[in-house]
Amino acid sequence: MINLAEYLSPQERAALQQKSNWKAAWEVAHTWLWIAAAFTLVAVFPNPLTVILAMFILGGKQLACAIIMHDAGHFGLFKSKQLNDWVGKWLGAYPIMNDLLSYRTYHITHHLTTGTADDPDISLTKGYPTTAWSMTRKIGRDLAGATGIKNQLGLLMMHLGYLKYSGSKKLEKLRVADRTPQQFLAMAWKKLHGMVLTQLVLFTILWLTGHPELYLLWIVSLLTTYNFSLRIRSMAEHSMLDPTDDFRNTRTTYANWWEQILFAPHHVNYHVEHHAYMFMPCWQLPRAHRAMADHHDDMELQPGYDRVLQLAATG
């Protein structure tokens, strides 16, 4: 693990760990304001171009919901753990049909085993570099919905207890032969009621505005553009790297404004810094980056996501 004491004073480290309820609230509000703007764009200017644009915005902001879940999983948003978990569930995980508590338990293993054979996320990031044709097929499957349908079915099987929770392609079946119908229903209610209620609330809000059909944009984006954004984000963070070097088993990628919309919400592109201290609030990551870069020229950095895509498609 990277030792921040080598680069930051105790006072600097303490400052970087400070949470702010106001800043956390703004990070979450920023994502949901973008979501509202995407729906409004299509409602006011309904045409194929705005629908496509809104789908990419929504896919990027569904990724932002995943990052809200991720940051809440690290207890990195609000000072109150109860508020942190409530927001992480209802404004992060549930809207994208995921579960904060299952994710938190799973994700900590990724931090402890980054890039190694024991990393549970290794299947998401191995296989690069690949050929340009292979990359085109992967992105094509994402945008056509094939990846999303498979992922959502897998998540449903995990929530219902048929598969062990995982964010990777590696699936493990769970024993269910001796489970009673009552136990099945209890698990289904426990895992799914928040997700179903969140979808109903979103649909109701759109219905009350006079545009219930816009809910289809949310579902279609969840099956298509979200998976495209998720692929590029995952590839940038951990693909084509050295698992034996803490400064090179994770990548920080500079992001311009549109890359922040699609691939790098909530400063997640500062990923070396996040792995250096996983409980640091996301708004502190740029500051941590400046401090670490001043002392270490060995960090894995790339100037943009286009450059990462070039590296990944040169096989």
Side-chain angles (χ1 to χ4, degrees):
M1 296 290 289
I2 297 171
N3 182 10
L4 282 179
E6 297 179 18
Y7 314 104
L8 306 174
S9 70
Q11 294 78 14
E12 288 174 318
R13 296 199 303 276
L16 288 173
Q17 295 173 38
Q18 290 298 313
K19 298 181 179 68
S20 165
N21 288 340
W22 288 109
K23 290 181 179 179
W26 168 245
E27 290 288 339
V28 177
H30 181 266
T31 284
W32 283 93
L33 286 171
W34 267 105
I35 291 169
F39 285 129
T40 302
L41 176 66
V42 179
V44 176
F45 304 105
N47 62 70
L49 182 60
T50 57
V51 167
I52 293 172
L53 179 58
M55 283 178 56
F56 276 96
I57 293 173
L58 288 175
K61 295 310 158 186
Q62 286 168 340
L63 174 61
C65 287
I67 303 306
I68 291 171
M69 174 182 71
H70 166 270
D71 290 354
H74 285 285
F75 300 102
L77 286 176
F78 295 89
K79 295 179 180 179
S80 163
K81 288 186 177 181
Q82 291 76 17
L83 180 59
N84 182 87
D85 281 10
W86 189 92
V87 171
K89 291 175 182 178
W90 291 98
L91 296 175
Y94 290 161
I96 57 171
M97 306 302 287
N98 218 317
D99 178 63
L100 170 66
L101 300 184
S102 298
Y103 174 82
R104 176 182 286 149
T105 303
Y106 162 86
H107 183 66
I108 191 65
T109 306
H110 161 68
H111 276 266
L112 299 174
T113 59
T114 305
T116 69
D118 296 324
D119 185 349
D121 284 347
I122 194 67
S123 65
L124 297 175
T125 55
K126 70 178 182 180
Y128 301 102
T130 187
T131 63
W133 173 239
S134 175
M135 182 67 73
T136 301
R137 291 202 313 271
K138 293 177 190 296
I139 292 176
R141 289 196 297 269
D142 295 341
L143 295 178
T147 306
I149 292 171
K150 181 177 69 174
N151 288 349
Q152 287 300 320
L153 287 174
L155 275 173
L156 179 60
M157 298 298 282
M158 293 172 200
H159 298 327
L160 294 177
Y162 290 100
L163 296 173
K164 183 179 180 181
Y165 183 90
S166 173
S168 72
K169 301 174 185 177
K170 185 178 180 181
L171 302 178
E172 180 181 337
K173 292 182 179 180
L174 298 176
R175 179 179 175 84
V176 295
D178 55 354
R179 188 167 58 174
T180 67
Q182 292 81 3
Q183 289 173 324
F184 171 83
L185 290 174
M187 174 167 283
W189 168 255
K190 178 181 178 181
K191 291 291 187 178
L192 298 181
H193 77 277
M195 301 172 202
V196 173
L197 181 57
T198 303
Q199 303 306 312
L200 287 174
V201 169
L202 181 57
F203 174 80
T204 301
I205 291 171
L206 293 170
W207 175 67
L208 291 173
T209 65
H211 295 279
E213 72 281 0
L214 293 183
Y215 178 69
L216 289 174
L217 277 178
W218 184 260
I219 296 301
V220 173
S221 298
L222 189 63
L223 297 176
T224 58
T225 50
Y226 166 58
N227 293 278
F228 164 68
S229 293
L230 183 61
R231 180 183 297 278
I232 304 302
R233 173 236 167 173
S234 299
M235 184 174 64
E237 289 172 0
H238 292 295
S239 290
M240 304 164 290
L241 295 171
D242 179 3
T244 66
D245 186 337
D246 287 333
F247 275 95
R248 293 197 174 273
N249 65 12
T250 306
R251 180 183 290 110
T252 284
T253 305
Y254 295 123
N256 59 32
W257 65 271
W258 66 265
E259 290 172 327
Q260 291 175 34
I261 294 172
L262 289 178
F263 312 125
H266 306 301
H267 307 291
V268 74
N269 53 308
Y270 292 102
H271 216 61
V272 176
E273 298 75 13
H274 169 63
H275 273 252
Y277 191 79
M278 69 178 101
F279 302 109
M280 187 185 300
C282 63
W283 56 86
Q284 301 281 25
L285 293 172
R287 181 179 173 187
H289 170 72
R290 291 190 294 271
M292 293 171 66
D294 286 343
H295 294 86
H296 207 294
D297 59 4
D298 229 13
M299 294 171 63
E300 172 60 30
L301 300 172
Q302 289 299 334
Y305 284 81
D306 56 340
R307 176 56 181 162
V308 174
L309 194 57
Q310 291 172 11
L311 291 174
T314 56

